[in-house]
């Protein structure tokens, strides 16, 4: 018998096929049973009659939710069925029956979010969660494909690091060998500045860690970041790369994951405009936008979540905000030659209230200025010796950014909280399961 996946069902109309999966739901109606099967690629409704297939009928009757099954039957077009096809079940093998005494904890009803998170290992079997994980995989694939197509080489950054990249307040300290202190990386940036000087255009894509004390819908303590870095590239070119990357990801999701976006009931028209060029406004103009809306923001203030929403609501696609006050940004950012109080930094803000999805900048390439900044930020110079070497041996202007994968995927999915878009979220009070 031909073994197929549920997403292929349409190609096998009128044929007998075998599907290997799980019982998602079961409706019984006298001498008929209507099981719904899932196999990770989709769900399909089945129908089985006592009269025609007594053995299969008996096996299905009373079968518990999430029992694993190998099921054979004929694919028929059925307009009313989800997906447009149904399976006329003729044979079924129950691989494991979920005991009636310990039913599957996630019922087809609303559950509280803590309950769902405690059962994340099972919750991910539901169609919405599976669709989100597929869109995440597509985003990762499209992001890599785009970076590679632009001539960037993947160079992986370490996870154990001797020092902070994004400020010391959110470092996770680990006890390294023989009681030496190390930290989980907050960003691979400093390391790919080194690989960029070796290879020209590079990126890293991996998990990063921040002991975020904020309990918001945009913060995880472990999240994935894609970070490009390029020698001889200045601020504007880095912003152009960022808009190209985000557009490529969104357009691939629309093209290749339309069914999943439909499962999420995501309004895809809100994503169709996500194509270059994105609007660009300076931090100072962003402050004016805020003031126009009655927000008390003034020069020198950080732009928080609510402010980001006000700014991004002005546009139909992500907006690039550039040239922030140097005083509120990281130690490594190159000052603007004409306005040294401004850093050549940029953030990309996603629409619909999703806020900052990219943060980046041009980097300081002058040795003396970098030493001065390290001191001003009270950073341990010794741990940065190697980083300073990059300014000693053939230093050049260079730029890069970090794109938060979960923030980007949450926006594409229209997910309420970013904890839904990573298989096992780590947040302020959660490292289980
Ligand atoms: O703006 P951030 O802190 O920038 C950096 O780490 C730079 N070193 C990157 C670089 O230039 N190579 O973080 C970059 C992005 C943010 O825009 C956001 O999308 C995401 O990482 N991010 C988080 N995502 C989830 N949870 C958190 N706690 C996050 N913190 C940052
Ligand atoms: Mg940032």
């Amino acid at each position: 018998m031909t073994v197929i996946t549920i997403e292929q069902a349409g190609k096998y109309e009128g044929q007998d096929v075998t599907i290997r999966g799980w019982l998602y739901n079961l409706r019984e109606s006298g001498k008929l049973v209507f099981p719904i099967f899932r196999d990770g690629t989709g769900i399909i409704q089945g129908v089985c009659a006592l009269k025609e297939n007594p053995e299969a009928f008996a096996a299905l009757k009373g079968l518990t939710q999430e029992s694993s099954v190998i099921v054979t039957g004929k694919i028929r077009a059925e307009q009313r069925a989800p997906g447009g096809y149904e399976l006329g079940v003729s044979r079924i093998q129950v691989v494991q029956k979920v005991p009636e005494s310990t039913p599957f904890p996630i019922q087809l009803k609303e559950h509280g979010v803590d309950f769902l998170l405690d059962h994340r290992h099972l919750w991910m079997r539901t169609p919405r969660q599976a669709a989100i994980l597929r869109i995440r995989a597509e985003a990762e694939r499209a992001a890599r494909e785009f970076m590679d197509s632009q001539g960037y080489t993947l160079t992986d950054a370490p996870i154990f690091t001797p020092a902070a990249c994004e400020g010391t307040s959110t470092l996770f300290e680990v006890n390294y060998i023989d009681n030496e202190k190390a930290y989980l990386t907050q960003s691979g940036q400093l390391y790919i500045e080194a690989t960029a000087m070796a290879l020209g255009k590079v990126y890293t894509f991996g998990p990063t860690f921040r002991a975020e004390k904020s309990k918001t819908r945009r913060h995880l303590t472990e999240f994935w970041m894609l970070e490009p870095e390029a020698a001889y590239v200045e601020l504007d070119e880095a912003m152009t790369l960022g808009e190209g990357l985000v557009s490529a990801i969104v357009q691939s999701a629309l093209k290749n994951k339309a069914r999943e976006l439909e499962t999420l009931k995501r309004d895809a028209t809100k994503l169709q405009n996500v194509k270059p060029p994105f609007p660009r406004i300076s931090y100072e103009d962003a402050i004016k936008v805020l003031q126009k809306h009655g927000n008390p923001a003034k020069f020198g203030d950080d732009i928080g979540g609510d402010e980001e929403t006000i700014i991004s609501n002005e546009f139909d696609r992500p907006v690039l905000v550039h040239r922030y006050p140097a005083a509120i940004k990281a130690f490594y950012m190159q000052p603007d030659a004409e306005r040294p109080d401004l850093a050549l930094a940029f953030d990309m803000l996603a629409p619909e209230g999703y806020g900052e999805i990219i943060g980046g900048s041009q980097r300081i390439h002058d040795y003396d200025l970098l030493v001065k900044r390290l001191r001003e930020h009270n950073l341990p110079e010794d741990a940065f010796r190697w980083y300073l070497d990059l300014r000693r041996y053939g230093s050049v202007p260079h730029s890069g950014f970090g794109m938060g994968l979960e923030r980007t995927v949450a926006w594409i999915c229209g997910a309420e909280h970013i904890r839904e878009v990573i298989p096992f979220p780590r947040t302020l009070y959660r490292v289980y399961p």
Side-chain angles (χ1 to χ4, degrees):
M1 193 57 58
T2 318
V3 176
I4 68 158
T5 59
I6 291 171
E7 68 180 344
Q8 300 168 329
K11 288 189 226 144
Y12 292 88
E13 193 189 331
Q15 296 183 41
D16 279 308
V17 298
T18 295
I19 290 170
R20 300 184 293 199
W22 294 265
L23 182 69
Y24 177 62
N25 195 12
L26 180 69
R27 192 160 57 81
E28 302 182 21
S29 168
K31 292 174 179 173
L32 285 175
V33 286
F34 300 96
I36 295 179
F37 302 107
R38 64 166 196 90
D39 73 346
T41 72
I43 58 173
I44 191 165
Q45 180 183 294
V47 55
C48 182
L50 167 65
K51 212 165 108 201
E52 283 142 35
N53 295 290
E55 271 179 44
F57 181 89
L60 276 167
K61 202 169 158 49
L63 190 60
T64 37
Q65 188 193 343
E66 284 303 308
S67 291
S68 39
V69 291
I70 297 175
V71 52
T72 296
K74 199 185 286 301
I75 301 282
R76 297 192 288 248
E78 169 54 70
Q79 294 239 313
R80 287 163 300 177
Y85 295 92
E86 80 176 7
L87 186 72
V89 178
S90 53
R91 205 149 25 94
I92 183 157
Q93 178 196 340
V94 177
V95 179
Q96 188 246 339
K97 180 176 176 176
V98 174
E100 266 148 42
S101 55
T102 54
F104 190 65
I106 315 248
Q107 304 296 310
L108 306 178
K109 60 161 197 187
E110 294 274 312
H111 285 287
V113 88
D114 275 324
F115 179 86
L116 290 172
L117 286 167
D118 281 341
H119 295 86
R120 181 60 175 168
H121 51 299
L122 304 175
W123 181 28
M124 55 175 59
R125 299 183 184 195
T126 57
R128 174 182 165 81
Q129 297 305 314
I132 290 175
L133 294 184
R134 284 178 183 280
I135 292 168
R136 176 187 171 102
E138 175 66 17
E140 294 197 39
R141 193 200 60 72
R144 286 207 183 90
E145 185 180 278
F146 176 82
M147 293 312 303
D148 295 342
S149 77
Q150 301 297 302
Y152 282 71
T153 301
L154 181 69
T155 59
D156 304 309
I159 304 267
F160 289 129
T161 63
C165 175
E166 292 301 316
T168 50
S169 68
T170 62
L171 281 175
F172 277 111
E173 193 177 303
V174 290
N175 194 350
Y176 204 63
I177 293 161
D178 288 341
N179 285 327
E180 197 187 329
K181 255 191 219 166
Y183 307 94
L184 297 183
T185 187
Q186 296 165 311
S187 156
Q189 178 197 323
L190 306 185
Y191 292 94
I192 57 169
E193 287 186 53
T195 60
M197 297 307 138
L199 287 89
K201 293 177 169 185
V202 300
Y203 68 106
T204 180
F205 194 2
T208 49
F209 306 87
R210 295 193 192 175
E212 297 277 11
K213 297 279 161 54
S214 31
K215 205 177 171 185
T216 77
R217 63 195 196 95
R218 315 173 169 187
H219 287 94
L220 296 167
T221 53
E222 176 178 324
F223 63 97
W224 283 61
M225 184 154 52
L226 187 152
E227 298 177 88
E229 192 72 31
Y232 294 105
V233 163
E234 302 192 9
L235 179 69
D236 281 348
E237 205 181 323
M239 289 199 277
T240 303
L241 184 73
E243 72 191 10
L245 172 63
V246 167
S247 303
I249 294 170
V250 170
Q251 295 303 326
S252 300
L254 286 173
K255 181 162 163 251
N256 301 325
K257 291 287 170 260
R259 219 163 40 98
E260 284 77 5
L261 289 167
E262 215 178 284
T263 300
L264 304 180
K265 302 192 172 66
R266 177 67 166 124
D267 180 359
T269 60
K270 293 234 168 80
L271 297 171
Q272 275 151 6
N273 288 335
V274 181
K275 290 181 182 158
F278 294 176
R280 298 181 182 195
I281 64 167
S282 67
Y283 166 89
E284 288 179 309
D285 285 342
I287 295 291
K288 285 185 195 139
V289 170
L290 291 172
Q291 290 169 346
K292 191 183 85 189
H293 284 87
N295 185 286
K298 56 182 190 316
F299 183 88
D301 289 352
D302 217 341
I303 295 182
D306 295 340
E307 286 75 26
E308 287 174 359
T309 303
I310 298 172
I311 297 164
S312 64
N313 278 345
E314 302 272 297
F315 307 98
D316 70 343
R317 63 196 76 192
V319 53
L320 293 152
V321 181
H322 55 83
R323 292 181 172 77
Y324 286 74
I328 59 168
K329 285 290 185 184
F331 75 94
Y332 52 72
M333 292 182 178
Q334 175 72 11
D336 189 344
E338 283 153 35
R339 286 277 308 275
D341 61 324
L342 298 180
L344 295 177
F346 77 100
D347 280 356
M348 184 188 290
L349 311 181
E352 301 174 70
Y354 283 91
E356 181 194 331
I357 53 173
I358 283 183
S361 75
Q362 191 170 321
R363 324 302 191 188
I364 292 175
H365 55 274
D366 180 71
Y367 184 94
D368 293 329
L369 179 58
L370 190 56
V371 170
K372 186 165 166 264
R373 286 291 154 83
L374 284 172
R375 289 182 187 154
E376 283 166 7
H377 283 81
N378 288 319
L379 289 165
E381 252 171 85
D382 204 40
F384 287 93
R385 253 179 313 147
W386 68 272
Y387 187 63
L388 285 164
D389 272 351
L390 305 177
R391 277 70 182 170
R392 214 192 279 271
Y393 303 109
S395 192
V396 299
H398 59 288
S399 304
F401 61 80
M403 184 198 76
L405 179 68
E406 289 77 15
R407 297 240 186 121
T408 306
V409 174
W411 160 52
I412 293 172
C413 291
E416 219 169 276
H417 195 299
I418 65 171
R419 67 189 161 212
E420 262 193 304
V421 310
I422 184 164
F424 291 97
R426 271 77 183 93
T427 51
L428 187 49
Y429 298 117
R430 179 173 292 281
V431 282
Y432 176 92

